[in-house]
């Protein structure tokens, strides 16, 4: 998924972005448990922000690890 | 292929969504990231090959996802979600029969000739095969249409942001388009492609929650079908083919021949195999096998796109408490139009954080589409107009500099086009037709050029010209005399959609016929000049002893089998 001249793979950027988004969205979901919004969205009881944010964190962490520049430099 | 915008009529009475601080942070981080990627890749776009073709180093996956992402603009998302609320599952045809066979044909049949000829662009291929006049006609029409479409998309997106979020139109136009200009001008096609892959991931992760949560609420696909049948008993919204027996049996006013021959053959093959906006991404692949595999990967994901585009519209039919209407009725009643179905569904299921991700998906879609337009425009302008007709002998660095400036100028002209559309919205009535004038005949010319060695330069040029002029003529005829629709589209019950399909079919047939007749009357080119350009004169490199699962044909077979299964399941 990367090529010769490139030092940092695009997948590393994607991993970083997903990880940051995951932290923000999970954080917003956890905050929402104690401070529910005035108008709750449909299926609020499923707390989609928490599990979707967690999924983003996991995906982001996997890509960060697999495409980290230090791993490419070492290999 | 570009769908557009009844969204231009959007005028909701109040903004639909309010963003919190975490949502704003998510959007801001996205802008910072795409600019960072542009600056990071700046040092890797020093040569023409780097800037215009990303060094021809892209893997099949990156080229394939970028190929799809350049087409997956936010207007695609908003426009087809609205169309699926209006027409039901019929809108899926633009993703399945209107895309999959053409994408596979590009990968397996046409890509070897594009790739082996080492052309920089589709007009460049026409120059190699048919000479300068064909290239000039194709390059000028493509450059003009690309910039105009880019401006229209830009204005439509700004209008969406105003209606959905209450953002100022000028702010949306300038911030998003200048961001695209900076990262494409810095890193060229490589930067555009890398950002398109990022945008592809964000579009999916931002939009995927709507169908997941929607299906949970509706009780699965069966539950959704029952709800839609209860809410809209008079119309069949959930079957793909069974209402196409007659023009008057379906809300699109189209017959199955129009869908199969007009959309599935001419329009779809024309767009996916000759529109340089998408083909450029595949030309950047690192070897022939990757170039063949990229459209196959794109086709696999394209089949899934209705899940995040069409299903939200269908869910709107099933679960929304209110009925959405056309723009005029919505304004009169103070209600919502079907153009707002996607943001309405986003607001229905997504709270703080997820809302920001969903809006980021829309912005990412817009930027990927625009980056596709400006990078393709820069290439065609630099190589097929500027170098071909104005300055043939400059050095590589000069053309790269021209490409960078052309990117900025292309964005500025697009912004100008956006403001022009803002002043004269009736332009939109003509642009969709304008786009179709060039696509169908171009497909005829390129197809004959690749597969028929007897086609001559004169045949190619006159066929392309005749197809384009006849398409314009048919369109003008129906405008002047609406009753001509029964001749062009074979039925007085046909609607705009059907007219476009049949007009494309006739203009393609005229292009092919004229090309064949003129070619038979003129002297053929010697076979040695067709090597690398035409089937029968070109030795396609063998793939060698690679495992079955690395062969493009193997994956194309799997995609086509799934394509048939899906069509039968939703028949």
């Amino acid at each position: 998924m990367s090529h010769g001249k490139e030092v940092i793979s695009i997948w590393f950027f994607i991993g970083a972005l997903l990880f940051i988004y995951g932290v923000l969205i999970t954080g917003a979901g956890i905050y929402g448990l104690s401070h529910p919004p005035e108008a709750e969205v449909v299926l609020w009881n499923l707390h989609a922000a928490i599990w979707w944010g967690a999924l983003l964190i996991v995906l982001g962490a996997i890509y960060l690890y697999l495409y980290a520049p230090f791993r490419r430099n070492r290999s | 292929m570009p769908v557009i915008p009844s969204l231009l009529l959007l005028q909701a009475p109040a903004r639909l969504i309010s963003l919190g601080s975490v949502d704003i942070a998510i959007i801001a981080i996205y802008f910072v990231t795409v600019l960072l990627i542009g600056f990071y890749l700046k040092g890797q776009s020093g040569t023409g090959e780097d800037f215009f073709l990303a060094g021809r180093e892209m893997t099949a996956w990156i080229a394939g996802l970028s190929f799809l992402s350049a087409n997956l603009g936010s207007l695609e998302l908003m426009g087809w979600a609205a169309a699926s609320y209006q027409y039901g599952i019929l809108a899926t045809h633009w993703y399945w029969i209107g895309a999959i066979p053409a994408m596979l044909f590009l990968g397996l049949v046409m890509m070897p000739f594009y790739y082996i000829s080492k052309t920089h662009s589709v007009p460049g291929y026409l120059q190699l095969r048919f000479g300068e006049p064909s290239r000039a006609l194709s390059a000028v029409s493509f450059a003009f249409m690309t910039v105009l479409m880019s401006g229209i998309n830009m204005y439509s997106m700004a209008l969406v942001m105003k209606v959905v979020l209450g953002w100022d139109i000028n702010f949306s136009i300038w911030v998003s388009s200048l961001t695209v200009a900076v990262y494409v001008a810095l890193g060229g096609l490589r930067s555009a492609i890398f950002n398109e892959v990022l945008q592809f991931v964000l579009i999916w992760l931002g939009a995927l929650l709507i169908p997941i949560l929607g299906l949970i609420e509706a009780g699965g696909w069966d539950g959704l079908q029952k709800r839609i049948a209860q809410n809209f008993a008079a119309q069949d919204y959930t079957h793909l083919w069974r209402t196409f027996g007659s023009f008057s049996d379906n809300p699109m006013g189209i017959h199955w021949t129009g869908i199969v021959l007009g959309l599935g053959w001419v329009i779809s093959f024309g767009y996916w195999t000759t529109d340089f906006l998408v083909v450029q991404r595949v030309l950047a692949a690192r070897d022939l096998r990757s170039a063949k595999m990229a459209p196959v990967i794109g086709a696999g994901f394209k089949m899934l796109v209705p899940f995040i585009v069409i299903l939200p519209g269908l869910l709107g039919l099933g679960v929304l408490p209110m009925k959405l209407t056309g723009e005029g009725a919505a304004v009169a009643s103070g209600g919502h139009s079907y153009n707002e179905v996607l943001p309405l569904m986003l607001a229905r299921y997504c709270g703080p954080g997820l809302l920001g991700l969903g809006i980021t998906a829309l912005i990412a879609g817009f930027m990927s589409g625009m980056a596709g337009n400006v990078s393709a425009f820069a290439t065609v302008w630099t190589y097929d107009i500027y170098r071909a007709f104005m300055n043939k002998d400059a050095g590589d660095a000069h053309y790269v500099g021209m490409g960078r400036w052309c990117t900025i100028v292309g964005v500025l002209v697009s912004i100008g086009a956006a403001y022009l559309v803002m002043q004269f919205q009736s332009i939109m009535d003509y642009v969709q037709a304008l786009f179709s004038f060039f696509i169908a005949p171009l497909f005829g010319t390129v197809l004959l050029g690749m597969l028929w060695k007897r086609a001559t330069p004169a045949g190619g040029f006159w066929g392309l010209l005749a197809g384009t002029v006849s398409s314009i003529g048919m369109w003008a005829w129906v405008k002047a005399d609406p009753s001509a629709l029964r001749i062009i589209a074979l039925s007085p019950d046909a609607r705009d959609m059907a007219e476009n399909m049949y007009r494309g079919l006739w203009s393609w047939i005229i292009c092919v016929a004229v090309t064949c007749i003129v070619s038979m009357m003129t002297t053929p080119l010697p076979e040695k000049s067709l090597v690398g350009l035409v089937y029968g004169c070109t030795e396609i490199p063998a793939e060698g002893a690679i495992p079955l699962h690395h062969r493009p044909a193997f994956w194309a077979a799997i995609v086509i089998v799934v394509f048939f299964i899906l069509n039968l399941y939703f028949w």
Side-chain angles (χ1 to χ4, degrees):
Chain A
M1 313 296 170
S2 56
H3 61 86
K5 293 179 192 172
E6 158 198 2
V7 178
I8 304 176
S9 163
I10 181 60
W11 299 110
F12 181 78
F13 284 103
I14 291 172
L17 193 63
L18 294 188
F19 189 84
I20 294 168
Y21 279 180
V23 170
L24 286 172
I25 291 170
T26 308
I30 292 171
Y31 179 80
L33 290 176
S34 54
H35 301 79
E38 288 176 15
E40 289 183 355
V41 295
V42 173
L43 300 177
W44 168 260
N45 57 312
L46 294 181
H47 304 294
I50 295 177
W51 54 264
W52 198 251
L55 175 72
L56 296 185
I57 290 174
V58 171
L59 281 176
I62 291 172
Y63 276 106
L64 279 174
Y65 176 74
L66 289 178
Y67 295 97
F70 70 85
R71 280 174 60 87
R72 288 173 55 81
N73 293 339
R74 213 167 38 190
S75 61
Chain B
M1 69 206 66
V3 48
I4 308 261
S6 60
L7 290 176
L8 280 176
L9 302 170
L10 263 174
Q11 36 188 323
R15 68 180 177 189
L16 300 176
I17 292 173
S18 292
L19 298 180
S21 53
V22 68
D23 302 311
I24 300 286
I26 285 172
I27 295 170
I29 289 168
Y30 166 73
F31 275 91
V32 171
T33 305
V34 295
L35 287 173
L36 265 179
I37 292 174
F39 278 103
Y40 171 66
L41 294 174
K42 178 172 182 275
Q44 299 179 23
S45 59
T47 69
E49 189 91 339
D50 282 337
F51 189 83
F52 296 108
L53 284 173
R56 287 189 190 262
E57 290 173 331
M58 297 299 113
T59 62
W61 273 94
I62 288 183
L65 296 184
S66 163
F67 170 70
L68 189 54
S69 185
N71 166 260
L72 196 59
S74 54
L75 293 174
E76 236 354 74
L77 303 177
M78 296 271 298
W80 283 113
S84 67
Y85 188 94
Q86 195 178 357
Y87 300 120
I89 201 171
L90 299 185
T92 308
H93 287 299
W94 271 254
Y95 288 88
W96 289 352
I97 193 168
I100 305 305
M103 293 165 95
L104 298 180
F105 187 79
L106 171 68
L108 299 185
V109 178
M110 296 177 79
M111 213 55 232
F113 299 106
Y114 280 136
Y115 198 83
I116 293 170
S117 68
K118 294 286 178 196
T119 181
H120 286 88
S121 64
V122 173
Y125 175 81
L126 288 183
Q127 187 269 332
L128 294 171
R129 179 65 181 87
F130 292 124
E132 291 294 358
S134 298
R135 160 153 78 177
L137 179 60
S138 157
V140 170
S141 59
F142 177 82
F144 174 70
M145 285 310 306
T146 301
V147 169
L148 194 54
M149 289 299 285
S150 178
I152 287 164
N153 287 353
M154 193 185 292
Y155 172 59
S156 308
M157 182 62 201
L159 195 58
V160 167
M161 287 300 153
K162 180 174 184 288
V163 169
V164 175
L165 300 171
W167 287 0
D168 178 66
I169 281 190
N170 298 304
F171 171 83
S172 296
I173 286 179
W174 284 93
V175 169
S176 51
S177 56
L178 288 182
T179 304
V180 171
V182 168
Y183 78 70
V184 178
L186 286 171
L189 183 62
R190 192 192 307 274
S191 181
I193 286 179
F194 276 22
N195 273 306
E196 281 159 7
V197 175
L198 171 74
Q199 287 147 359
F200 180 85
V201 173
L202 288 179
I203 289 168
W204 273 93
L205 290 174
L208 195 57
L209 258 183
I210 294 174
I212 292 174
L213 293 172
L215 284 177
I216 291 173
E217 184 189 3
W221 174 243
D222 289 341
L224 177 60
Q225 282 182 293
K226 284 178 191 153
R227 283 176 181 240
I228 293 175
Q230 280 169 2
N231 294 348
F232 300 89
Q235 192 82 49
D236 184 346
Y237 282 102
T238 54
H239 292 97
L240 264 180
W241 289 99
R242 62 181 62 172
T243 59
F244 278 143
S246 157
F247 284 88
S248 55
D249 283 352
N250 61 82
M252 282 186 173
I254 195 166
H255 187 254
W256 69 267
T257 54
I259 288 289
V260 173
L261 298 176
L263 174 65
W265 172 237
V266 174
I267 301 290
S268 158
F269 276 65
Y271 176 73
W272 287 103
T273 66
T274 65
D275 190 318
F276 184 54
L277 165 67
V278 287
V279 172
Q280 185 180 28
R281 273 74 198 137
V282 190
L283 287 177
R286 66 183 175 190
D287 53 37
L288 180 56
R289 192 186 69 81
S290 300
K292 290 168 74 175
M293 187 64 106
V296 178
I297 292 171
F301 280 98
K302 184 77 176 174
M303 271 195 304
L304 302 176
V305 174
F307 195 68
I308 57 170
V309 176
I310 306 298
L311 196 47
L314 295 176
L315 286 163
L317 288 167
V319 302
L320 284 179
M322 74 295 253
K323 286 192 179 173
L324 309 182
T325 60
E327 250 348 290
V331 171
S333 66
H336 294 291
S337 77
Y338 34 67
N339 289 324
E340 299 159 34
V341 66
L342 192 61
L344 282 172
M345 298 304 288
L346 193 63
R348 182 176 180 82
Y349 297 119
C350 296
L354 291 175
L355 212 47
L357 188 62
I359 295 297
T360 303
L362 286 179
I363 295 173
F366 162 70
M367 288 169 70
S368 65
M370 181 165 183
N373 278 316
V374 295
S375 55
F377 170 77
T379 307
V380 167
W381 170 267
T382 304
Y383 280 117
D384 297 307
I385 298 176
Y386 179 73
R387 189 173 75 171
F389 302 105
M390 297 179 193
N391 186 355
K392 287 182 191 240
D393 303 317
D396 191 53
H398 176 81
Y399 293 124
V400 173
M402 172 57 68
R404 288 193 206 280
W405 280 110
C406 195
T407 302
I408 305 285
V409 171
V411 168
L412 291 176
V413 175
S414 298
I415 291 172
Y419 281 102
L420 191 70
V421 178
M422 204 184 299
Q423 297 300 316
F424 305 101
Q425 292 199 4
S426 58
I427 289 175
M428 199 48 238
D429 296 340
Y430 305 103
V431 167
Q432 192 79 35
L434 269 176
F435 196 85
S436 71
F437 294 156
F438 304 110
I439 283 293
L442 181 60
F443 171 54
T445 305
V446 173
L447 188 69
L448 285 175
M450 283 183 177
L451 301 184
W452 191 41
K453 57 188 175 188
R454 184 64 180 77
T456 65
F461 173 74
W462 288 109
L464 183 59
L465 190 62
T468 305
V469 170
S470 65
S471 185
I472 295 169
M474 283 183 275
W475 175 80
W477 185 22
V478 174
K479 277 282 173 197
D481 175 13
S483 67
L485 190 62
R486 69 189 160 77
I487 300 171
I488 302 294
L490 305 178
S491 167
D493 294 327
R495 300 198 188 164
D496 290 354
M497 209 75 99
E499 185 198 343
N500 282 333
M501 299 300 116
Y502 283 103
R503 194 177 59 238
L505 181 59
W506 303 140
S507 63
W508 180 82
I509 290 173
I510 290 168
C511 168
V512 169
V514 171
T515 304
C516 291
I517 292 167
V518 175
S519 294
M520 295 309 291
M521 295 164 61
T522 47
T523 311
L525 291 169
E527 286 203 14
K528 66 180 179 187
S529 69
L530 301 178
V531 173
L533 300 171
V534 187
Y535 184 80
C537 302
T538 305
E539 190 175 341
I540 308 291
E543 288 174 347
I546 56 173
L548 190 63
H549 66 277
H550 284 168
R551 292 181 186 274
F554 170 72
W555 289 105
I558 289 180
V559 169
I560 207 71
V561 167
V562 176
F563 165 79
F564 277 110
I565 291 172
L566 285 171
N567 274 278
L568 289 171
Y569 182 78
F570 292 103
W571 187 273

